Every structure is written in structure tokens, then in C-alpha cells.
Amino acid sequence: MTLRTLRSLSWAPTIGLSWLWGLGFFYSIHVTLTYGWLGFAAFAGPNAFGLYLFGHVLGRRGRNPAEIVRAVEGRYTGLFLLAQVAAVGISCYGLFTYVLLPLFGSRAPVGAVLVLLLGAATGHAASIVTLKRLHAAYLAVGTAAAAIAAAGLSGAASPPVPLAAFDERFYGLCIPSLVGFLLGPWSDVQQWQRAVAIHREGGSIRTAYGGGALIFLGLLGLNAALAALAGPGLLAASADGIPGAQAAVTGAISRADAAPLTIAYLAWAVIAMVSTVDSFYCATRWFLTSVTTRSSSPLLAFVPAGFVASPLWTLIAALAAAAAVLGANLSMMYLMVPFATLFVGATLCLICEALGARPTYDGVLCAMIGTAAGLVFLVGYVAPAGALIALSPIVGAIGALPAISALLGPAPPALPDAAETAPGLATLVLTKDEAVAAHGFDGPWFVLQLIPTYDDTNSVGNVYFANYFRWVGKARELFFNVCMPDFDLATTGFYVLTRSFTHDFRREAREFEPVVVRIRIAGHNRKFVTLAHEIHSRTQGLLGRGEQTLMFVDTARYRPLDIPASIMAGFMPHYVKDAADSSPRRNAGTRGVALAEEG
């Protein structure tokens, strides 16, 4: 076995534990006791295969998960955060309702808070690499504790689990389960963070997720074995009248009244919960930090980025969702439904983009169709009506039809370069009367008109190359002066510095040829502004173009600052995000800036 394989497999424990959370932990108990061993196989097989398939697809040679995340994170922030809310909400609900409340009664809230604080503090302090090592230890301790619990329950008299006990609700759940489990890892930011980290350190994503899927399948089987040893006991019915067996193991342990047995099972459940919360916290902070760093929202000039990027808001939302379901006396199924309905359209769009399709995602449309799919599911689940349950994920997938068509259909023709072909740019012609020294806005472009003279030429007779840079600088300063007429170097709290400057020469100008310098805001994130420029000649058209990146520092110690609020207020009215921003050249430049920031 090679060193690369071993390094890749070292990620398998954290992959397996990060995908266990409340759904796998508690639903494996319920499905085994309710639908028998074949029912468990129908649940566990697609679940583990979906985890493996995520790693297999992302692990294809030449596919970089970090680049995919940077390309899609802005559009799919809502999907990733809602999926975390649902996943953590299920875990919190399951631990409290099916373990702590039966064991500790009124003291259960205190225990739940302690577990959440432990997980959140670990995720806040640890990097993903540290969590990888920590989860390997968690896995060893947790499986040992589960084995002790199984040994303690082995002497209990419980009816054997049947091979199969299917009903209409089970048959209806087959398609939603398959869809939810195959798509689920793609909406889980925890898995994206792991894929990026594995790729960054040179490991094999496919090997890591193959090992992680096997470990995950083993953990599901371990809980199914605990369920078989415990027996169904007294099933608890929720407000919809549907009985659930998720608390069966806890009930059997309570009846046994053995402290070692209780401690062992409690340790296993707490480890599963802590490894969910710390993983969620670490991954969500990683994701939101990236989103806020590259965001162009003007609000981030006024609100601290660390405040926005804190995972605590997502955790609070997850707790609120869990509390709402608990208060309504509903089962954990109501927190599981979004993965097979509400999230289906958005997740399919995400997968299509990750595989190379052009962006066609309409978040509002997918949300409305997904909500309708969720209602169809709930009506069929309560009735029960297996056909409606099976139909619901198909309804949810309708929102992704444009993305699927873009992936499977012919590639669209390449868009021509806007700067070369837009009317009036490449063939810009001015009379000498029009080309007097003047400046002002023409739409999003700030335009400076001038006429070069002999003073601007070199010994050969053409305009000296440095003058193009000087003209762009003059246009930029006039641009600033128009947007911020009250800016004063004597009183300002920040300086504007040029971080980078590039220019692509196309043709050369000569004396007395009217020249137009055009400059506009091409893009920005929280710290940097990118200005694009073009230089045109009266007779020759495009002379050259390029871009520059600006940064901001304080006047006292030259520390980098977020874009100041006065800059945002002065310049944002002139920022128009158009089709040129999505061209391959523009995306390449944006990736370069992003890589430079990370470096």
C-alpha cells in the first residue's frame, strides 16, 4: 500500500463520522425495527453509496474541488446553509428526544447544552486536519462503547427482527430515500471541505471516500445490531399518529437499569453528536469566511465580516428548527423531508455546474417547486399514499431541468470578446473637434479624451509605452475625483494603493491621433476593487486593455482594510455587473486574485 493511499485513508474516519449525524444514527434503529433487515439494507445501501459516489465524481483526475467551490459558493450559499440547518437540527432533535430526555428527564436540556458547547468549541478551535485526527480517536472510543452496549443488551429477551415488514409507506419512501441519499453529500458543506483538504494535500478523494463509505456503512450496521438486541419496546407515536422506534435502544437500556450499559451507550451517542457539531462548525466557518471575503455586498462595508461568517447563526437556526418540531410533537422525519424535496432542484443544479454545465440556477424557482414537492410528500406520508410519496422528489427535480438540459445538451457557442466586438468600441472613431481634453461618465465607463503630441512619443515616433500607463492613471484619478470630490489626503483615514496592474498592448498610437481612455469597476470583494481599462484610437480602434487591483490601508500603520464605506457609497452607483464579468478571461482573473489572497 502506497504512502498516498495511507494518507488518503486517514481521512476515512472523519468522513464516516461526519456523515453519520442524527439521520443515520437514529433512523437506522427505527428502520430496522419497523421494516426489518431488508428495510435496513434499503436504507443503508443507498446512503453509503451516495457518500462514495460524491467522492468518486469529485476525485476524477483534473477536477479541482476548490475551484468548483469558488465558482458556485455565491449562488448556492442558501442551499449549503439550509442543509446544515436541517442536518444539525436533526442531530440536536435526535439526541435530546431519543437519548437525553428518556434518560435524564428534566435535566436533559442541561446535558444538551453541554454537548453543543463541547462540539462548537472544538470546531472553533480545531482545523479540518486536527478534526481528522480527533475523529479517528472518536471512532475508536465510540465503537468500543457501542460494542460494550451491545454486549450488555445481548442477554435481553427481545423478539427477533423480521427479514421484511413492508407497507405502503415503505414502498413510497424508496424513491425519496434513494434521491435524498444520492444527492445529500453534494449539499453538505462538510463534505466539500474534506474533498478540498484531501485534494490540497495530494491525496486521493476516491480512496478516502471509498474508505469513509465503508466505515459509515459499518456504523449504521452497528446501530442496527443494537436495535435488534434491544427490540422495539414501546413505540412512541408523534402528532401525526405514526409510531417511531428511534428511542428503542435507549428504552431497553433504561429497563436494564445498569450504569455501565447506560454510560457506554450515552458515550456512543455523545461522540456521534459532538463529531457532527464540531465538523459543522469548522466547515461552516470555512465556507462563510470564503463567501464574505469574495462577496460584493455593500453591507459588508458596514457589518464586520467575522460577525456575518460566524456559524453560531446557523446553529441557532438549527436549534430553532429542532425546537419547533419538538414543540409540535412531530418525528424527525419532518426535518428529513427537505433533503428529498426542497433541496432536490438546487442540488441537481449544483451537481450539473460541478460537472461543467453553464450556470442556470434559479433559486427562487427551485425553492417554490421544492416547497410544493415537500407538501406532496407530507400528504402522502400521513395518509399514507405511496404514489404521492414516490412522486415528491420527481416534482422537486423539475426546477433543475434547465441545468440538466445545459449539461446533456450541446455546448453553447463561445461568446465573443465584448471589448473587441461591442458596437462603437473596437472601431471607435472621433473627429478632432470631439477629441478635446474632456472626461466624464458614459454609462458604467469613465471616459477621458485626449490628443497625444510629440511630447508623448519616443525617438522612433510612436507613443512611448509608459504613457499608456500614465494615461490610465490620470483617468483613474479623475474617476476618483468625480466620485469623491470631498476626498482630502490631509484628513483621510485610509490610502488607496495599487496592488497589481496589467496591460495588453494591441496597437501603437502616433502623435495627434485622438485617444480615448475608458475605465470602469470590473468587480470587487470585501478588500479589493478591480478596475478594467481600454484605450482606443480614432483611426486604429483598440490600442490595448488591461486591469488593475486596488487595496486600502489605514494611514497610521498601513494595515490592510476592508473597502471603506465612503468608497462603497461613492463608487457603487457606477458599478454594473454585466456579461463581460462571466467571460473566461474575467473568471481566470478572479481566480488569480482569489489564489493571491489565499497565498
Side-chain angles (χ1 to χ4, degrees):
M1 187 176 292
T2 65
L3 180 62
R4 182 172 184 260
T5 301
L6 290 174
R7 187 167 59 240
S8 303
L9 288 175
S10 68
W11 287 93
T14 187
I15 290 171
L17 277 179
S18 68
W19 193 233
L20 182 62
W21 38 288
L23 193 157
F25 191 94
F26 294 106
Y27 202 68
S28 57
I29 297 173
H30 167 78
V31 76
T32 302
L33 294 175
T34 305
Y35 300 119
W37 288 112
L38 286 181
F40 168 76
F43 158 78
N47 206 349
F49 181 71
L51 185 64
Y52 164 75
L53 192 61
F54 170 82
H56 183 81
V57 173
L58 278 188
R60 180 181 176 183
R61 185 182 299 274
R63 190 164 284 157
N64 187 342
E67 290 185 357
I68 297 175
V69 171
R70 280 196 295 270
V72 304
E73 62 183 8
R75 288 186 295 278
Y76 294 96
T77 299
L79 170 66
F80 286 129
L81 293 183
L82 284 175
Q84 289 301 293
V85 168
V88 177
I90 291 173
S91 301
C92 294
Y93 174 90
L95 179 71
F96 182 83
T97 307
Y98 303 136
V99 177
L100 298 181
L101 196 60
L103 290 179
F104 301 108
S106 61
R107 292 173 294 174
V110 177
V113 170
L114 290 176
V115 173
L116 287 176
L117 288 176
L118 175 61
T122 304
H124 181 83
S127 66
I128 183 61
V129 176
T130 304
L131 286 183
K132 176 184 73 170
R133 304 188 184 102
L134 190 61
H135 286 177
Y138 283 175
L139 182 65
V141 175
T143 52
I148 293 173
L153 291 172
S154 60
S158 56
V161 174
L163 179 63
F166 301 158
D167 56 17
E168 184 175 2
R169 189 174 284 116
F170 171 83
Y171 290 116
L173 285 171
C174 288
I175 294 180
S177 297
L178 182 64
V179 171
F181 294 146
L182 292 182
L183 301 186
W186 293 89
S187 62
D188 187 358
V189 71
Q190 300 178 38
Q191 306 311 321
W192 283 99
Q193 185 190 30
R194 280 160 176 76
V196 169
I198 295 166
H199 184 270
R200 182 185 297 121
E201 71 172 22
S204 168
I205 299 176
R206 289 182 170 180
T207 301
Y209 270 83
L214 288 176
I215 289 177
F216 172 68
L217 186 61
L219 296 180
L220 293 181
L222 182 58
N223 270 18
L226 286 172
L229 292 171
L234 295 176
L235 300 181
S238 58
D240 55 18
I242 301 173
Q246 290 91 339
V249 176
T250 307
I253 288 174
S254 298
R255 292 191 298 272
D257 195 22
L261 185 60
T262 302
I263 293 173
Y265 182 67
L266 181 63
W268 171 222
V270 167
I271 283 175
M273 183 64 185
V274 169
S275 62
T276 296
V277 175
D278 61 17
S279 179
F280 142 77
Y281 197 101
C282 180
T284 304
R285 184 175 60 174
W286 165 78
F287 174 73
L288 289 179
T289 299
S290 176
V291 170
T292 54
T293 298
R294 296 180 175 87
S295 174
S296 59
S297 173
L299 291 176
L300 290 178
F302 305 93
V303 181
F307 182 80
V308 177
S310 174
L312 289 176
W313 305 114
T314 310
L315 180 59
I316 291 172
L319 291 175
V325 173
L326 180 63
N329 190 28
L330 297 173
S331 70
M332 64 188 300
M333 174 61 73
Y334 291 81
L335 289 169
M336 295 162 53
V337 168
F339 290 97
T341 56
L342 179 62
F343 302 156
V344 168
T347 306
L348 283 172
C349 290
L350 170 63
I351 295 172
C352 290
E353 288 191 37
L355 296 180
R358 68 182 186 277
T360 58
Y361 174 54
D362 187 332
V364 176
L365 178 64
C366 287
M368 290 190 291
I369 293 176
T371 302
L375 292 175
V376 171
F377 178 96
L378 293 177
V379 170
Y381 181 72
V382 175
L388 289 179
I389 300 175
L391 181 64
S392 59
I394 300 174
V395 173
I398 293 175
L401 289 180
I404 297 172
S405 299
L407 178 66
L408 302 180
L415 293 175
D417 195 311
E420 293 281 8
T421 61
L425 294 186
T427 58
L428 182 65
V429 176
L430 300 174
T431 66
K432 290 189 177 183
D433 292 337
E434 294 173 327
V436 296
H439 61 270
F441 276 99
D442 179 15
W445 290 93
F446 183 84
V447 179
L448 169 65
Q449 304 181 29
L450 51 86
I451 296 179
T453 64
Y454 291 114
D455 178 60
D456 298 304
T457 61
N458 56 24
S459 59
V460 180
N462 57 288
V463 172
Y464 188 54
F465 81 97
N467 284 318
Y468 297 101
F469 296 80
R470 183 167 61 86
W471 294 342
V472 174
K474 182 182 290 293
R476 188 182 83 178
E477 301 309 322
L478 291 170
F479 180 28
F480 281 13
N481 186 58
V482 170
C483 293
M484 299 183 63
D486 299 326
F487 182 79
D488 186 356
L489 280 175
T491 59
T492 181
F494 63 89
Y495 292 139
V496 184
L497 304 182
T498 304
R499 184 169 180 257
S500 64
F501 186 99
T502 61
H503 182 79
D504 179 19
F505 292 93
R506 296 298 178 90
R507 300 178 181 89
E508 294 184 342
R510 302 188 68 85
E511 68 279 4
F512 305 117
E513 289 184 7
V515 169
V516 173
V517 182
R518 298 156 52 89
I519 193 167
R520 72 180 179 94
I521 303 173
H524 64 95
N525 56 30
R526 188 163 56 89
K527 290 186 178 294
F528 305 109
V529 174
T530 301
L531 300 179
H533 67 262
E534 299 171 357
I535 304 177
H536 297 267
S537 163
R538 177 178 68 87
T539 58
Q540 301 185 70
L542 182 67
L543 298 176
R545 67 184 178 194
E547 64 181 24
Q548 55 188 293
T549 305
L550 308 181
M551 64 182 295
F552 307 87
V553 298
D554 67 67
T555 57
R557 289 188 286 178
Y558 285 78
R559 294 177 303 177
L561 302 173
D562 290 352
I563 299 177
S566 58
I567 291 286
M568 299 295 290
F571 288 85
M572 281 305 294
H574 305 288
Y575 173 55
V576 177
K577 188 174 183 180
D578 57 21
D581 291 334
S582 61
S583 67
R585 183 178 63 86
R586 171 67 57 208
N587 288 339
T590 304
R591 287 195 295 270
V593 170
L595 292 175
E597 292 172 23
E598 293 177 357

